[in-house]
Amino acid sequence: MDIKSIITCPICHTDLDDTLRCPSCNTQYSIYHGVYDIVNRELSENQKILWKISDDDLETKASTENRWQADAEWIKDYYSRLNDDTREGMRLQELKMNELLGSLYGCVCDLATGMGGMLTTLINVAPKDIQIVATDISKQVLAYTKILTDNERVSYVATDGRCMSIKDESFDFIVSRAAFGNIPESDKVAKELHRILKTGGRLIVEGSYIELGSASYELAKREGLADGMVEEILCEYLRGAGFSKIESIVVKEAVWAENPYDLLPVAGDKQKFCVIQAVK
């Protein structure tokens, strides 16, 4: 696909010229290691970057392979610390998502791609004729993930989920793994997703959700992420944004085990593994 045909300035929603400059506000955007960097730093200054990727990590194949090896080691350690109920919740959630991804068509947005967990699943499980736009607020993270997942069907766009650099009605589907637990101001995110979906388009997100009043909820409030991590609040935001046919499927509930890699949930709190769908 011609990714430039759906990119717009996040400040004034004007089409960019061939150099990625906005003719209305004169903001210049760029391409970074194959990633369209369409983030306005002032609009997005309070968004935390969870993954730290340096320019050095991207410069040579050797440094990238070293970084990948280090990532593989901590990921293995991370999963070794999960309890059996949590592993089962993740397994059931993956099965449900794979079932739904098999019916995708057209142009699909992967929201908050991060290190490419959902993107890899899309490439391997979804129909081979779909076009995918991988998005994340961090150009460095997307550039690194592009090296690991580079595929002719995928375009990579750095954009903020609260003020997306995407034209109205661009996608047939939006999918995500845990985006609402990582992007603040979930009400704004819900409105943006409704805007960039085509009429009749579908949102499919998976996540683990916490309980109101729990220690996890109080910590999430301090981090500005609570609303996107509570199933019932998130569904209300989707409804308020204009979505219909909102369905939340809880595949498993589990008590979270202590894990030094995760700020949330808090060890000992219950979480619900859900797949949430909604239609524009």
Side-chain angles (χ1 to χ4, degrees):
M1 67 177 298
D2 178 10
I3 189 63
K4 288 184 180 179
S5 68
I6 66 169
I7 288 176
T8 187
C9 174
I11 303 171
C12 52
H13 301 292
T14 300
D15 292 356
L16 306 182
D17 67 18
D18 289 341
T19 70
L20 300 183
R21 185 186 66 86
C22 175
S24 293
C25 64
N26 207 36
T27 303
Q28 181 69 57
Y29 300 98
S30 62
I31 297 177
Y32 173 85
H33 291 274
V35 173
Y36 287 83
D37 181 18
I38 320 294
V39 175
N40 179 270
R41 305 306 163 191
E42 293 181 4
L43 285 177
S44 305
E45 62 182 358
N46 66 337
Q47 171 71 66
K48 291 182 179 179
I49 307 299
L50 300 180
W51 303 97
K52 303 303 181 184
I53 305 292
S54 69
D55 289 342
D56 289 343
D57 290 327
L58 304 169
E59 289 303 327
T60 68
K61 187 172 186 291
S63 64
T64 301
E65 288 177 344
N66 290 338
R67 173 68 194 238
W68 181 86
Q69 182 62 38
D71 287 342
E73 290 172 1
W74 81 254
I75 289 171
K76 181 179 179 181
D77 185 45
Y78 174 87
Y79 281 99
S80 73
R81 297 171 183 268
L82 302 178
N83 59 33
D84 289 343
D85 276 351
T86 297
R87 290 196 191 92
E88 178 65 3
M90 290 178 171
R91 186 187 72 83
L92 293 173
Q93 197 174 48
E94 181 180 15
L95 286 175
K96 184 61 182 177
M97 283 299 294
N98 288 354
E99 173 192 330
L100 296 172
L101 296 181
S103 64
L104 301 188
Y105 58 82
C107 190
V108 179
C109 173
D110 178 24
L111 177 69
T113 294
M115 301 298 277
M118 175 60 74
L119 178 58
T120 300
T121 302
L122 276 173
I123 292 170
N124 293 331
V125 174
K128 301 303 180 186
D129 58 348
I130 67 169
Q131 295 296 312
I132 304 167
V133 179
T135 68
D136 198 276
I137 196 169
S138 170
K139 63 182 181 182
Q140 288 92 351
V141 169
L142 270 185
Y144 179 70
T145 299
K146 184 179 186 298
I147 293 171
L148 302 180
T149 61
D150 203 7
N151 185 284
E152 63 182 8
R153 293 179 293 138
V154 185
S155 301
Y156 300 80
V157 180
T159 182
D160 187 336
R162 300 165 299 175
C163 46
M164 296 194 74
S165 316
I166 302 291
K167 294 180 183 178
D168 294 359
E169 302 218 354
S170 290
F171 297 113
D172 298 286
F173 293 88
I174 300 172
V175 302
S176 187
R177 177 170 292 164
F180 281 99
N182 293 311
I183 307 174
E185 300 178 286
S186 295
D187 55 338
K188 291 184 179 179
V189 179
K191 290 174 182 175
E192 281 293 271
L193 300 187
H194 188 271
R195 179 182 67 79
I196 66 175
L197 262 179
K198 295 177 183 177
T199 300
R202 188 149 51 107
L203 174 69
I204 308 173
V205 296
E206 65 173 89
S208 59
Y209 297 93
I210 57 179
E211 296 182 301
L212 278 170
S214 66
S216 295
Y217 178 73
E218 295 304 319
L219 177 55
K221 275 203 304 185
R222 294 195 292 273
E223 294 294 319
L225 299 171
D227 290 349
M229 297 190 71
V230 177
E231 176 195 15
E232 52 267 43
I233 295 177
L234 177 54
C235 288
E236 278 303 309
Y237 280 160
L238 294 176
R239 190 169 292 107
F243 284 98
S244 63
K245 299 180 182 178
I246 300 167
E247 178 187 20
S248 179
I249 301 170
V250 181
V251 299
K252 178 76 175 175
E253 295 185 359
V255 173
W256 190 247
E258 186 172 357
N259 191 323
Y261 294 101
D262 282 315
L263 177 67
L264 290 160
V266 173
D269 276 357
K270 185 170 68 174
Q271 62 176 334
K272 295 186 286 187
F273 290 93
C274 300
V275 175
I276 296 177
Q277 299 181 73
V279 175
K280 177 173 177 179

